[in-house]
Amino acid sequence: MLGYTTLIALWSTGFLVASSAAECSVADVSVIAHTGDPVGREEVYNEINLYITGNTSDTAVLYLTDVFGIQLPENKLLADSFGRAGYLTIAPDLFNGTPSPVDINGTGTPGFNTTAFLAAHGPEVTDPIIATAIDYLRTALNVTKVVTTGYCFGGRYAFRVLAEGKGVDVGFAAHPSLLEDAEIAAITGPASVAAADADSLMPPERRAQIEALLLDTGLAYTLSLYGGTQHGFGVRANISDPEQKFGKEQAFFQAVRWFDTWA
Ligand SMILES: *[C@@H]1O[C@H](CO)[C@@H](O)[C@H](O)[C@H]1NC(C)=O
Ligand SMILES: *[C@@H]1O[C@H](CO)[C@@H](O)[C@H](O)[C@H]1NC(C)=O
Ligand SMILES: *[C@@H]1O[C@H](CO)[C@@H](O)[C@H](O)[C@H]1NC(C)=O
Ligand SMILES: *[C@@H]1O[C@H](CO)[C@@H](O)[C@H](O)[C@H]1NC(C)=O
Ligand SMILES: *[C@@H]1O[C@H](CO)[C@@H](O)[C@H](O)[C@H]1NC(C)=O
């Protein structure tokens, strides 16, 4: 044990500050990029375009985007942040180059048919794209564990790939949309959820149902509610707003800590 005087002396030299930052890099907001240029690369594997970022690691992050796809800079930047947190991260192009210009809740370009978009990108189309990305991680990059982080549209699939035999070990989802009860009941690995307090796609009643379904799985789980946030905040928070900025950053740390702990 260090004596009190020694601690004060170390503190005054800055030693403690430096060492605690090194041991606790997960709380280091500098790994998160909200703006700037993405640092990853794109590669095509079995006809699926993948955004790849971060250095080689035994456990890789499968990043499943919202309807704006890997084409949205914020998605690439957040994937890069998982890279800087120590995880090789890949994000498949879920919409084959043609993401939605409109959020799933209908905000945005008038006249865009969200119903038709979602119908064209159901599980029968999306599951195989994600399976290709998992195959790439496991057979081309030889990673031993795959964890997943999903946002809105991708949040549902973060649950779907946690089912038996899908090849993903641990999951996190921020404001998942269209998530079905059976998809929660089918998971076989720990799941963590970040929720917004203003989310018409996941209102308080639905949040309570999701909590109950997570409890029923008997697996490790957590659900965190971030005040002052809206649907989409995990990726597209207004970072000029202190509550939204905190929510986005804390949801990121929630995911990283979840992976560090359970993978
Ligand atoms: C990847 O490794 C290189 C060389 O060690 C290092 O400079 C770089 O910061 C690492 N990148 C990430 C995202 O961790
Ligand atoms: C949107 O697409 C759905 C499904 O394809 C279709 O039934 C509906 O008529 C379309 N709505 C408009 C306004 O075009
Ligand atoms: C992965 O393993 C295969 C088979 O052992 C090997 O051919 C390939 O070079 C490995 N890839 C990487 C990135 O290590
Ligand atoms: C949809 O989500 C956005 C944030 O992404 C929010 O500003 C808007 O109020 C929401 N619209 C509805 C109808 O819930
Ligand atoms: C972002 O948040 C700031 C601070 O609350 C606010 O002034 C600004 O209008 C917001 N921007 C958008 C696009 O909502």
Side-chain angles (χ1 to χ4, degrees):
M1 283 292 283
L2 296 174
Y4 177 74
T5 322
T6 320
L7 282 172
I8 294 298
L10 289 171
W11 176 267
S12 64
T13 62
F15 174 84
L16 279 180
V17 175
S19 77
S20 76
E23 284 160 17
C24 201
S25 60
V26 72
D28 177 3
V29 289
S30 74
V31 305
I32 305 175
H34 294 295
T35 56
D37 294 326
V39 298
R41 63 194 167 86
E42 288 183 38
E43 189 175 317
V44 176
Y45 176 74
N46 287 350
E47 297 175 9
I48 302 300
N49 192 29
L50 303 169
Y51 180 72
I52 305 172
T53 185
N55 288 330
T56 306
S57 58
D58 292 339
T59 298
V61 171
L62 170 69
Y63 183 111
L64 302 174
T65 67
D66 52 26
V67 288
F68 300 101
I70 61 169
Q71 290 75 19
L72 185 81
E74 284 97 324
N75 276 318
K76 287 181 175 159
L77 291 170
L78 190 56
D80 291 344
S81 301
F82 282 99
R84 280 183 294 271
Y87 292 96
L88 171 70
T89 300
I90 72 166
D93 181 351
L94 297 178
F95 312 106
N96 193 24
T98 317
S100 172
V102 179
D103 200 358
I104 226 169
N105 72 359
T107 308
T109 318
F112 183 78
N113 193 332
T114 296
T115 308
F117 178 85
L118 293 174
H121 296 283
E124 67 291 352
V125 172
T126 308
D127 285 343
I129 294 171
I130 295 172
T132 300
I134 297 170
D135 178 58
Y136 175 80
L137 286 171
R138 291 205 176 260
T139 66
L141 299 185
N142 305 333
V143 306
T144 52
K145 280 194 175 172
V146 179
V147 299
T148 189
T149 187
Y151 301 87
C152 314
F153 178 91
R156 175 187 185 186
Y157 290 88
F159 277 84
R160 289 181 68 82
V161 294
L162 269 186
E164 185 75 48
K166 301 291 185 190
V168 173
D169 303 293
V170 181
F172 166 85
H175 35 78
S177 46
L178 312 176
L179 178 60
E180 295 180 3
D181 292 2
E183 292 167 337
I184 302 172
I187 64 172
T188 57
S192 181
V193 176
D197 68 356
D199 187 351
S200 60
L201 297 168
M202 190 176 163
E205 314 78 62
R206 184 57 186 154
R207 209 161 63 221
Q209 289 165 355
I210 291 173
E211 286 171 358
L213 288 157
L214 286 168
L215 176 62
D216 282 350
T217 65
L219 296 160
Y221 78 93
T222 186
L223 188 148
S224 297
L225 175 65
Y226 293 97
T229 62
Q230 301 171 328
H231 180 74
F233 79 96
V235 178
R236 294 174 291 117
N238 173 357
I239 56 160
S240 303
D241 177 325
E243 279 190 290
Q244 290 193 43
K245 180 172 184 287
F246 175 84
K248 178 180 176 181
E249 292 174 350
Q250 200 63 19
F252 169 77
F253 293 137
Q254 181 185 336
V256 172
R257 283 274 291 141
W258 196 248
F259 301 152
D260 289 352
T261 304
W262 299 111

